[in-house]
Structure formats: structure tokens, C-alpha cells
Amino acid sequence: MPQTAVDFEQSLGELPWQGWLSGVSALVSARGSLTRLGPRHGAVYVKSGPTLLVSFENHRAIQALSPHGYPLGWDAAHRFDWSHLGLISDGDTWFRDAAVFAHMDALVDDGVFDGFDRVLFYGAGPCGYAAAAFSVAAPGATVVALQPQATLDPGLAAWDRRFVGMRRTSFTDRYGYAPDMLDAARDAFILFDPDQREDAMHAALCARPHVTLLRARGMGGMLQSDLLHMGCLAELLSAAAGDRLTPQRVGQLLRARRDHMPYLRRLLTRLNPGTHPRRVELLCRAVLRRHTAPRFAHRLEQVRGAPAV
């Protein structure tokens, strides 16, 4: 686990929001700090190496995806000796909160971002929106956002009906329209599955000369979870920080999906055995060579018209 705290034997898993904040504060007290930003946000900062990872995360996602309930950014920070600033929300807030704005302003005024050789912003979904929107606080930063929303302003994104409960929240004031905020970034990388219609439309709004749109076809709508389970997320961030993140590098990392059952099941669902029986057979045979997979055995049986071997 990360080298940036005192005692990593303590698990923060399943702790409710306020208890989790207290637990994080105790863990980082020797080399960092925890700042509570109103009732629904917190910022945990740990100083280490000359690269700063700024991750925007959701407490519920942390509890679901981290075995010990630690901020997801701690894994990459530990591996690569990075400093880490984690902005954490209690639920999906898109970080549209005056207390968060004020905290980012204070970091700018104090020159915190200027003290690092490289600053990398990261987030997924609503947190990907925040990573893009708040990156303007550190001009010259690199941004990695998975399936980010560009905005939820109904004047621009009424076609996205997934988050209608956020329509009364302002996305037009400070740190508002994420694509415009990306103009200050050195470079940005937007990773999304083009088959996810709304994600693809938000990605298109972010298109800029210095923004690379990275298509991960067939990965579905849970990119962060899938990349974590495939062991790819930290390497993705490392490539971005080292100016090595290209479509070719993403393709190399995504080769891990050949052994990732959620992806393989999605691929099987997409292939029509009536029109692509040979493709279905090749997929099923490849999976069954490496895994015990009754669903694939049954589908192979169907396309061959005989029991699977």
C-alpha cells in the first residue's frame, strides 16, 4: 500500500462517510492532511514525489472498489512515488459546491500546484467531469478522464437523461463547462466506449487539438471498475504522466480484456450466432481454453449443433 501514511494495517472498508473521513485523517496525519469541505466533500493531501496526482473520487466507489477502503489514487501514488491530492465526494455531486471552489482557489493562491514538476488530474464519470473542470486551476496539467460528462446544463445536454436530478444544479458558473476548462491543460485524454451513446456525445463536446479521444469499444459503462480489475488503471496514469499515453498504448493495455470475463460476456452478447457463427465459435473456443465458462460452452454447443468438447 502507499508509503504516504502511518499505519496501513487499518482498514477503512465499510465505514460511513464521517467515520471514513476520520479514519483517513488519522492515516495521513504524519505526512499529510485531511480538510473537510462542507458536509459532502473532503480533500486528503499527502506529500511525496515531484509528480502530483489529483484524483476526484466518490466515497461509495472507493468502498466498492478498494479492498481496504483507501482512495483509489493511493495505489498509483505508492507505485510511482507521487504526491496525491484526493477530492472525495459523498455520493455523486459533480463537486458543484462552493466549498470545493474555495479550496481549489486557496490551493492556487498558495502556489501548491506550482511546487510540482508535473500535475495529473484524474476522475471517472461525474468525477471525470470534475477532473476536467478543475484542471484549469493548474495550467499545464495533464488530464485523464474516463467517461466524463462535459456538462449537465439542460441548455446544452438535455439529451442526457441519466442525471435529470442534477438539472437544477448550476454548471454555468465557476469551474463550470468542462471542455472550456480543458483549454488550460497541457494535454487531456478522454477514454470512453463509443457504443455508449451519451458518453460518446460528451466526449465529442470535449474535442480540442490537445485533447485525445481514446475509444475503448465494447468496454461498456463501468470503465473505472473494469480497468481496476484488469490491473490497467495505474499503468494508464503512469503513461499519461510520462508522455507515453497514445491510442497504441491504450490498445496494449486493453489486451488484458481478453481474460476479463465481464468484457467477454458483453462481446458474446453482441455477436449474433445467426449471422456470425464462425466468430461466435472462435470466441467461445478461445475463452474455454482459459476458463471454465458454462455460458460460452452452451453457446458453442448452439452454433456447432453438437455438445461442446
Side-chain angles (χ1 to χ4, degrees), residues 243-259:
D243 296 324
R244 295 177 284 104
L245 189 56
T246 63
Q248 292 75 24
R249 180 59 181 145
V250 171
Q252 292 170 351
L253 290 171
L254 290 181
R255 288 176 187 170
R257 61 188 171 181
R258 293 181 296 185
D259 286 309

Side-chain angles (χ1 to χ4, degrees), residues 213-274:
L213 303 184
L214 299 168
R215 294 165 178 82
R217 189 175 297 278
M219 289 298 293
M222 302 292 289
L223 273 176
Q224 179 172 251
S225 174
D226 284 341
L227 290 175
L228 280 167
H229 289 139
M230 293 190 298
C232 296
L233 183 56
E235 291 301 326
L236 186 80
L237 296 176
S238 176
D243 296 324
R244 295 177 284 104
L245 189 56
T246 63
Q248 292 75 24
R249 180 59 181 145
V250 171
Q252 292 170 351
L253 290 171
L254 290 181
R255 288 176 187 170
R257 61 188 171 181
R258 293 181 296 185
D259 286 309
H260 186 54
M261 289 304 296
Y263 166 76
L264 294 171
R265 286 191 290 266
R266 287 193 295 268
L267 183 56
L268 181 65
T269 300
R270 290 178 59 191
L271 290 176
N272 187 330

Side-chain angles (χ1 to χ4, degrees), residues 13 33 43 45 69 78 82 88 127 129-130 155 161 168 184 187 191 221 230 241 251 258 262 272 285 287 296 305-306:
S33 62
Y45 175 64
H78 168 58
W82 292 345
I88 317 296
C127 297
Y129 159 81
R161 301 193 58 80
R168 293 187 178 182
D187 47 17
L191 187 65
M230 293 190 298
R258 293 181 296 185
N272 187 330
R285 285 185 174 277
V287 171
F296 289 83

Side-chain angles (χ1 to χ4, degrees), residues 8-175:
F8 290 97
E9 297 300 319
Q10 178 184 349
S11 173
L12 304 180
E14 300 184 3
L15 285 178
W17 171 241
Q18 293 297 334
W20 186 85
L21 289 175
S22 298
V24 169
S25 180
L27 282 177
V28 304
S29 59
R31 298 181 62 181
S33 62
L34 185 286
T35 304
R36 296 173 187 255
L37 306 174
R40 298 195 66 185
H41 298 92
V44 56
Y45 175 64
V46 180
K47 183 73 163 63
S48 186
T51 293
L52 175 66
L53 172 62
V54 184
S55 66
F56 290 80
E57 305 184 31
N58 180 324
H59 172 247
R60 289 198 294 251
I62 289 171
Q63 297 289 30
L65 297 173
S66 169
H68 299 286
Y70 296 158
L72 303 178
W74 279 7
D75 179 56
H78 168 58
R79 288 198 205 184
F80 308 119
D81 192 28
W82 292 345
S83 297
H84 179 247
L85 171 64
L87 281 297
I88 317 296
S89 65
D90 179 23
D92 287 330
T93 68
W94 281 261
F95 294 84
R96 306 302 299 158
D97 189 308
V100 179
F101 303 166
H103 186 69
M104 297 301 289
D105 291 344
L107 294 175
V108 173
D109 292 343
D110 293 342
V112 171
F113 299 119
D114 296 333
F116 292 92
D117 295 344
R118 191 70 179 262
V119 181
L120 176 66
F121 282 71
Y122 165 75
C127 297
Y129 159 81
F134 288 101
S135 67
V136 71
T142 293
V143 179
V144 176
L146 313 182
Q147 304 168 256
Q149 292 80 51
T151 179
L152 294 182
D153 175 15
L156 290 173
W159 39 264
D160 191 341
R161 301 193 58 80
R162 297 174 298 177
F163 315 111
V164 292
M166 290 295 294
R167 290 195 170 175
R168 293 187 178 182
T169 301
S170 174
F171 283 79
T172 59
D173 53 359
R174 305 194 61 232
Y175 300 106

